[in-house]
Amino acid sequence: MTVPQTLQQFLLGELKDHPERYELVMMMADIATIGKLISARTNRAGLTELTGLAGSTNVQDETQAKLDIYANDLCKNYLRKTGLFAAMASEEETDVVDLKNPGARYVIAFDPLDGSSNIDVNIPIGTIFSVHKKLEGVPAGDARQFFQKGRDQVLAGYVLYGSSTMLVFSWGEGVHAFTLDVDLGEFLLSDAHLKIPAAHPYYSFNEAYGPFIAEEDRRYLDKIRAQTGSLRYVGSFVADIHRNLIKGGAYVYPAIDTSGQGNFKPKLRLNYEAKPMALLAEQAGGVALADGVAILDIVPNELHQRVSVRIGNKKLMKEAS
Ligand code: AFP
């Protein structure tokens, strides 16, 4: 009989081998707790009047769901108390939030609840996080704290609230996946070193945008379609990336022009969507590109900057480009 390893045991093992990772280990424990709290809320969303819209919009002019606001407030208040973070950036916050922890050495970017338009219909959603070292000589609340390239992330990952809740993260030495055992209240190790399989059955692209993409993306998608075979698209970035990490394939979200004026605009956010997923994809043996450049090499110049995204199997994506 195999005995599953708990997240706590895994983290203590890391600490033994890498005492210098003490703060990162503490962060992972805290983020796991946040994940458990949001998971419990999302499971009860329909029972606790947490479905539906809050009647407000965020900085990107997107309507906020009640759970978006709950998750954002929870991340903000919980992370402030840990004392580990100097500042936080969030999809739901216009500006950087100075967490007023003067000695803290890290900053964190969050999408507290990715895919929130799916909450009311019981489709998987997630929390995405990306951690950098705090820049010395730059005020904690300054947006420049988040103008750091993805390759300098010290920790990144997501919590997926799906048919089960999963925590997937990397601190640059592979990708580690845990599944929440709800009865025990513990995350248990599912895969110590997750790797994207060589097979690539799926492509993920919102086909409704087909008429609005650039010619080069159209050609690329034709090749991807031909080499994959099946379309899978949830419309929650976390769920779509998670599936493709486990099953293989390519996720493509190009810039869109609905105006017909050649004004192509990407949608996904660099700091708290593309960068963390790019780290996981590369660590799992895959590739993550924006306009032909590795997403991890892009230095953001805006807090809520958006990028086009191609994430998936290396060979598949190379052959299609
Ligand atoms: P939210 O966090 O605002 O719900 O973001 C959702 C999202 O950015 C991402 O999770 C999805 O992959 C994408 O939107 C789906 O949107 P489309 O309807 O444009 O395909």
Side-chain angles (χ1 to χ4, degrees):
M1 181 185 149
T2 48
V3 181
Q5 192 179 19
T6 65
L7 176 66
Q8 192 184 23
Q9 289 167 331
F10 179 89
L11 293 176
L12 288 174
E14 283 291 316
L15 199 52
K16 189 162 158 273
D17 296 341
H18 298 280
E20 74 284 359
R21 284 197 191 141
Y22 172 74
E23 287 162 304
L24 300 184
V25 165
M26 297 292 286
M27 276 170 209
M28 267 325 305
D30 288 327
I31 291 168
T33 304
I34 289 174
K36 283 188 215 171
L37 289 166
I38 298 177
S39 177
R41 271 307 162 104
T42 53
N43 282 338
R44 293 184 55 76
L47 301 172
T48 52
E49 295 175 1
L50 269 170
T51 55
L53 301 176
S56 49
T57 53
N58 65 16
V59 61
Q60 354 243 353
D61 252 351
E62 296 160 340
T63 49
Q64 289 177 304
K66 291 176 197 166
L67 264 174
D68 271 332
I69 295 174
Y70 165 80
N72 188 57
D73 288 350
L74 175 70
C75 292
K76 193 162 50 179
N77 296 329
Y78 197 101
L79 294 176
R80 178 179 286 129
K81 282 202 182 130
T82 68
L84 293 166
F85 298 103
M88 174 186 126
S90 162
E91 185 194 1
E92 306 303 335
E93 302 278 346
T94 308
D95 301 311
V96 171
V97 180
D98 183 341
L99 293 175
K100 310 281 182 210
N101 288 319
R105 303 197 312 130
Y106 297 91
V107 297
I108 185 163
F110 255 101
D111 185 345
L113 215 52
D114 170 69
S116 45
S117 64
N118 283 327
I119 294 168
D120 292 359
V121 286
N122 269 317
I123 288 175
I125 49 181
T127 299
I128 314 176
F129 56 92
S130 156
V131 179
H132 283 278
K133 284 201 175 131
K134 176 181 176 284
L135 295 176
E136 292 306 320
V138 176
D142 193 306
R144 283 174 293 168
Q145 291 291 353
F146 295 90
F147 296 174
Q148 303 192 50
K149 63 175 184 292
R151 228 168 267 293
D152 294 336
Q153 290 170 108
V154 291
L155 174 65
Y158 59 81
V159 186
L160 168 70
Y161 313 107
S163 49
S164 55
T165 294
M166 289 198 70
L167 169 65
V168 179
F169 69 92
S170 175
W171 33 47
E173 282 177 13
V175 177
H176 319 299
F178 292 81
T179 306
L180 182 63
D181 182 320
V182 188
D183 294 330
L184 293 179
E186 295 258 26
F187 279 105
L188 303 180
L189 185 63
S190 309
D191 196 335
H193 287 284
L194 197 158
K195 287 284 173 200
I196 300 177
H200 41 72
Y202 301 132
Y203 80 99
S204 313
F205 165 61
N206 186 339
E207 288 285 357
Y209 298 141
F212 309 120
I213 63 176
E215 191 50 41
E216 193 261 328
D217 289 316
R218 203 183 315 282
R219 280 197 300 271
Y220 180 77
L221 271 158
D222 284 346
K223 290 185 199 160
I224 291 284
R225 273 191 211 96
Q227 292 195 49
T228 48
S230 277
L231 165 64
R232 292 285 188 281
Y233 189 77
V234 175
S236 292
F237 190 45
V238 174
D240 282 311
I241 293 295
H242 181 73
R243 182 200 48 250
N244 290 11
L245 286 178
I246 306 282
K247 300 278 189 187
Y251 178 95
V252 184
Y253 204 124
I256 306 294
D257 168 35
T258 48
S259 69
Q261 307 294 311
N263 189 13
F264 291 94
K265 288 189 181 151
K267 176 177 182 186
L268 297 180
R269 277 56 60 110
L270 178 56
N271 267 323
Y272 38 83
E273 290 183 315
K275 262 171 39 175
M277 293 310 195
L279 181 74
L280 297 178
E282 284 203 9
Q283 287 291 317
V287 63
L289 303 172
D291 300 320
V293 177
I295 288 173
L296 292 180
D297 290 328
I298 300 173
V299 181
N301 50 29
E302 277 176 42
L303 189 60
H304 298 287
Q305 187 171 335
R306 297 169 188 262
V307 283
S308 67
V309 167
R310 294 176 181 180
I311 295 181
N313 289 55
K314 205 179 271 183
K315 190 161 168 280
L316 167 70
M317 286 177 49
K318 192 161 181 243
E319 283 173 8
S321 54

